[in-house]
Amino acid sequence: MMRIGAHQSTAGGLVAAIDRVVAIGGNCLQIFSSAPQQWKPLQRPQSEYAAFRNACSTRDIAPVVIHAKYLINLGTDDAFLLSKSVASVIDDMMVAHHIGAIGVIVHFGSNPHRWVGPNRKRYIAMMHQILKETPDDVSFLFENSAGGGNTIGTTLEELSAIAADFPMSRVGFCIDTCHAFAMGYDFRTSESVNRFIREVDTKVGWHRVKVIHANDAKEPLGSHRDRHENIGKGHIGYAGFTALINQPKLQGISWILEVPGTDRSGPDKENIDRLKNMLG
């Protein structure tokens, strides 16, 4: 069964997010563990974690992933911000363990030297610290970025370097279609999609990609602007998503929508249905 779901709010409790994704026809889920624009983690009772795990099991919601806070920057040279960022990611990974999520999706951050520069050894040591301090059943999932502001993880070459530095199974990837398109990877035709599929396979390996963020792009190819649009209504379009979702290597990966929604209130049934209807 193809896994297609969405990012959903946890307002009203963790189980409420499951109710929301089921209501729009989704069978996998992404959440924030707490307010994404505040450092303070949200303390929840173990009973709420247990209720969430039980609801996922009985309603067949899998996998679940947590998205890290927008505030973090693991690439920063600022010691205070780095400390806060590391602590936040560790907290998210602990919550992921408690709720049975497979991992935490992280926008790594920004630095003028990016991953391949002089900070690379520091990044590697920091990542090993994060993995050492968190449970083995939770993965750190790098998300590709749209390429603006010295963000780390923009190109497949950079993701390839990260993959080489962390061959362990606990480090994986999330490919965001809008971000990749904004970076200059074209999805508008079957030929360009096939080219991207081969390139990821060679440089990263699709077996290491655990989640696809399915987002159309509001801005043109190569814009470096992270602006999501509803499926089929942006510059990737229906043809692009039809080519993507029918790729055999991508059908075993969970698809999570982060689109604005037809009424601009977030991912909705219409967007999920569009993807389902594209399946051949």
Side-chain angles (χ1 to χ4, degrees):
M1 179 192 298
M2 188 87 180
R3 291 286 165 177
I4 302 175
H7 185 100
Q8 293 292 298
S9 168
T10 59
L14 292 173
V15 174
I18 298 176
D19 296 337
R20 292 184 178 101
V21 81
V22 168
I24 62 174
N27 57 10
C28 56
L29 175 64
Q30 176 180 284
I31 60 172
F32 291 121
S33 70
S34 57
Q37 296 175 334
Q38 296 179 16
W39 285 116
K40 186 177 180 180
L42 181 61
Q43 301 299 323
R44 299 180 187 270
Q46 288 294 327
S47 59
E48 185 173 1
Y49 296 145
F52 181 86
R53 294 193 303 269
N54 181 65
C56 284
S57 177
T58 57
R59 304 179 81 174
D60 188 29
I61 301 299
V64 174
V65 290
I66 289 176
H67 196 295
K69 294 178 183 295
Y70 295 135
L71 296 171
I72 72 165
N73 183 359
L74 296 173
T76 184
D77 294 324
D78 182 300
F80 178 76
L81 177 56
L82 181 62
S83 175
K84 297 282 282 185
S85 299
V86 168
S88 179
V89 171
I90 289 173
D91 181 74
D92 275 341
M93 292 180 75
M94 295 305 299
V95 174
H97 169 71
H98 289 313
I99 67 174
I102 63 169
V104 177
I105 294 173
V106 181
H107 295 168
F108 192 84
S110 61
N111 189 285
H113 299 294
R114 301 185 185 271
W115 187 270
V116 296
N119 289 327
R120 186 173 183 172
K121 288 184 178 179
R122 175 165 66 83
Y123 298 154
I124 292 171
M126 175 189 62
M127 281 292 300
H128 280 294
Q129 175 194 344
I130 291 171
L131 295 174
K132 183 178 180 180
E133 295 185 20
T134 53
D136 290 342
D137 61 351
V138 178
S139 295
F140 184 109
L141 303 176
F142 284 87
E143 180 174 351
N144 64 307
S145 68
N150 294 318
T151 48
I152 293 168
T154 57
T155 66
L156 291 181
E157 288 75 19
E158 196 168 20
L159 295 183
S160 178
I162 294 169
D165 285 338
F166 298 100
M168 63 282 290
S169 60
R170 285 189 63 201
V171 177
F173 297 88
C174 167
I175 298 294
D176 186 301
T177 55
C178 173
H179 298 177
F181 189 81
M183 191 58 204
Y185 297 101
D186 196 353
F187 302 133
R188 293 172 296 184
T189 67
S190 295
E191 293 76 14
S192 60
V193 167
N194 288 337
R195 187 162 54 247
F196 181 77
I197 297 299
R198 290 192 299 269
E199 197 171 354
V200 173
D201 220 8
T202 301
K203 295 178 178 177
V204 180
W206 282 107
H207 65 287
R208 299 195 66 179
V209 178
K210 305 305 179 184
V211 175
I212 292 171
H213 277 167
N215 302 307
D216 212 327
K218 197 173 186 67
E219 302 292 339
L221 179 69
S223 69
H224 301 301
R225 299 187 70 187
D226 179 11
R227 298 190 66 193
H228 299 184
E229 184 53 280
N230 292 317
I231 301 297
K233 301 300 183 180
H235 286 271
I236 297 175
Y238 281 93
F241 275 101
T242 299
L244 280 165
I245 203 165
N246 284 290
Q247 284 284 334
K249 288 183 181 293
L250 274 58
Q251 291 187 357
I253 302 172
S254 300
W255 289 54
I256 297 285
L257 284 80
E258 301 174 316
V259 296
T262 52
D263 63 357
R264 301 290 158 174
S265 62
D268 54 13
K269 188 175 188 302
E270 183 169 338
N271 274 277
I272 286 182
D273 286 347
R274 286 177 192 169
L275 280 179
K276 289 179 178 178
N277 291 336
M278 290 173 185
L279 283 165

